[in-house]
Amino acid sequence: MAKTLFEKIWEQHIIKTIDGGPSVLYIDTHFIHEVTSPQAFNGLNKRGIKVFRPQQTVATADHNVPTLNQHLPIKEELSRKQVEALIKNCAEHGVELYGLGHPYQGIVHVIGPELGVTQPGMTMVCGDSHTSTHGAFGSIAFGIGTSEVEMVLTTQCLLQSKPKLMRIHVEGVLNKGVVSKDIVLYILSKISASGATGYAVEFAGSAIRNLSMEARMTICNMSIEMGGRCGLIAPDETTFSYIKGRQFAPTGAAWDKKLNYWKTLFTDSDAVFDKEYFFDAADIEPMITYGTNPGMGIGVTATIPTPETINENDKSGLSKSLAYMGLQQGAPIKGQKVDYVFIGSCTNSRIEDLRMVAGFVKGKKKANEVEVWIVPGSKQVEAQAKAEGIDKVFEEAGFILRQPGCSACLGMNEDKIPAGKYCISTSNRNFEGRQGAGARTLLASPLTAAAAAITGVVTDVRELMN
Amino acid sequence: MARKLDIIQSTFVPLNMENVDTDQIIPARFLKATTRDGFGKNLFRDWRYSNDDEAQPKTDFVLNHTQYTGKILVAAKNFGCGSSREHAAWAIADYGFSVVVSSFFADIFKNNALNNGLLPVTVTEAFLQKIFAQTNTETITVNLQQQTITIDATGEQEIFEINGYKKTCLLNGYDDIDYLLSIKEDIVNYENNLV
Ligand code: SF4
């Protein structure tokens, strides 16, 4: 029978199915971090049991960590306690921890792929919704809650119901200045922030296949913003050559064996999806959000919607959103003043993102009033950026290259945007207060964010490109 | 061991807003605890208080209206979207709710709620509007065994869906971990058969 990519992986990982209920899904790799794991470890300790498969668990500290002076003790007491609890729990349970100071430390969804831990055909989970990122390798990867973290720690399994299946095709060639972040913000603007709820989403089509692994990760990362259980892209030569040679990638005969398996991971030509969407890459322009959910995005040259022009889904929330954002319906977004620029998060903090920004800003200077934070996704990204002289380019432009972590993506550490200020951000969520109480977030690509850093206002990056 | 649920009859708190995300339910700065308790007091923190100050409640937010109380939270569609933080479910349960009613729930939130003895009840948009049209003294009855939700004042009723396994868990206060631990042998067999 013809099968989708999702079904091939799913069926291989089902241990059994409860009558009329969920299935027991085996989890190959479990990532943990300091914020959503302590209560799970407490649960294990209460039951007096140890982590079942510690070798299949990878830990890092990212959500809460400072992005300056990481060599010093964490100042904020509660953050420090969470990080200390992670160190203690990992030591007691024999889990490898890439904590602060470790050369592999970084945002969990950046380090998994870059270490070669993330591989096609796997089931992967983490107590963080952007686990969907790893689906870019052709794996089933999704975010879970802390009770589920506890389940995986105790049994390496989860009870799951099979989601419905969606495929989103993007065909054709991207316009100048348009990158993968724009593709995903565009899809979101078309299908809304709940358009994929209940679905596993496969991204397909020539525009997707032509993307690098980093760019594919940006798309799968935001599949959760559509409500999707996970996002995935069939692995191909781009995937295999990305993995080859990484720290935890298979080698020798094991590589050949895996490669043979990975090559079977694609959707059969007559497999059936519950829902399919088709988009044309040529229709996409650099995107930006104006509202308070990631589906509220427009092309950078468009005007903010009015109740007449907005889609049904966001109609009722429009005036509340715009009041929060301090923006006017019907007004152009281009030219809107920006106070902060944040380039980072598991959506856009990989080396390719930093290269893209550096290539664009080289020889340019940031606008005086704008504060620019560039937060690399991992220690390895940071080291690579320095090796390539990217840090110098940033310095000359007046940008600050900080140290790795989630940072202003969720404002759990000190990196918060003050109330009422506008931040153009390469992260994934523009919810009220996400980047700090009262902060106003405009989501965009690294290029569009960099353009605003130079001009101080929302800018069509194409006008600054030669 | 989760708490047991069966029949919940209570007044309700109407939160007539769409796309309520988990960052609003419990803002990130409150995720620093290492236990599951005490999140209720920060539920909807930034909608409840001005300047993050409990002495400055926002009068336009429903949790600050003393006429609305009860064990049932009723919200508009796409409730619980965004971050996977289970703290959102903990905060709602810790505040004192046993049931959340909406016409549409985000996936991860729904799972998290079910794992914490908090029952998500999905109703049709029309039924939801009927609930919102009730006054604050009316009660709603949610019967998990029968899978019904009833507006007591009018007798209007809807049947809601719930996975049979999850229903048994909630009725008995079991959780998934108890079940998974009981099939450890199957899990080890599966691992041994991996090539
Ligand atoms: S960068 Fe943001 S979205 Fe990504 S894992 Fe960290 S907090 Fe979550």
Side-chain angles (χ1 to χ4, degrees), chain A residues 86-98:
Chain A
L86 183 69
I87 296 172
K88 180 168 164 284
N89 286 327
C90 287
E92 279 177 14
H93 288 266
V95 170
E96 184 84 56
L97 168 64
Y98 303 132

Side-chain angles (χ1 to χ4, degrees), chain A residues 66-79:
Chain A
T67 56
L68 291 176
N69 295 319
Q70 286 185 346
H71 61 288
L72 299 177
I74 300 177
K75 278 192 240 134
E76 215 260 338
E77 193 197 341
L78 291 173
S79 301

Side-chain angles (χ1 to χ4, degrees), chain A residues 138-308:
Chain A
S139 58
I140 295 181
F142 55 95
I144 55 178
T146 298
S147 296
E148 293 171 310
V149 171
E150 190 178 336
M151 288 171 214
V152 181
L153 290 176
T154 48
T155 64
Q156 205 61 31
C157 285
L158 275 179
L159 287 167
Q160 287 285 307
S161 305
K162 189 178 160 196
K164 288 181 284 181
L165 303 174
M166 176 185 288
R167 181 162 55 182
I168 299 180
H169 304 255
V170 188
E171 297 286 353
V173 180
L174 292 173
N175 293 314
K176 180 176 117 177
V178 175
V179 294
S180 71
K181 180 67 163 286
D182 300 303
I183 301 180
V184 73
L185 286 174
Y186 177 82
I187 296 171
L188 267 154
S189 75
K190 294 292 173 193
I191 76 169
S192 93
S194 58
T197 301
Y199 291 89
V201 185
E202 180 173 344
F203 297 94
S206 56
I208 304 288
R209 275 199 305 279
N210 288 333
L211 297 175
S212 67
M213 283 318 295
E214 283 91 345
R216 292 180 190 184
M217 286 187 243
T218 302
I219 298 206
C220 288
N221 174 273
M222 291 191 75
S223 46
I224 180 67
E225 304 320 328
M226 309 165 194
R229 180 88 65 83
C230 64
L232 61 176
I233 295 172
D236 58 11
E237 285 307 322
T238 306
T239 322
F240 309 143
S241 59
Y242 178 96
I243 299 171
K244 196 160 192 175
R246 292 188 182 264
Q247 283 87 337
F248 296 99
T251 52
W255 169 266
D256 295 337
K257 196 172 151 202
K258 283 275 184 202
L259 191 63
N260 279 337
Y261 165 55
W262 295 346
K263 287 183 173 166
T264 66
L265 298 172
F266 54 85
T267 291
D268 297 331
S269 58
D270 39 358
V272 188
F273 288 83
D274 298 288
K275 200 163 196 170
E276 299 209 55
Y277 285 103
F278 296 83
F279 297 109
D280 187 346
D283 292 341
I284 307 175
E285 65 165 334
M287 295 288 294
I288 189 153
T289 64
Y290 59 87
T292 53
N293 78 55
M296 300 173 98
I298 49 176
V300 69
T301 59
T303 53
I304 295 168
T306 64
E308 290 72 44

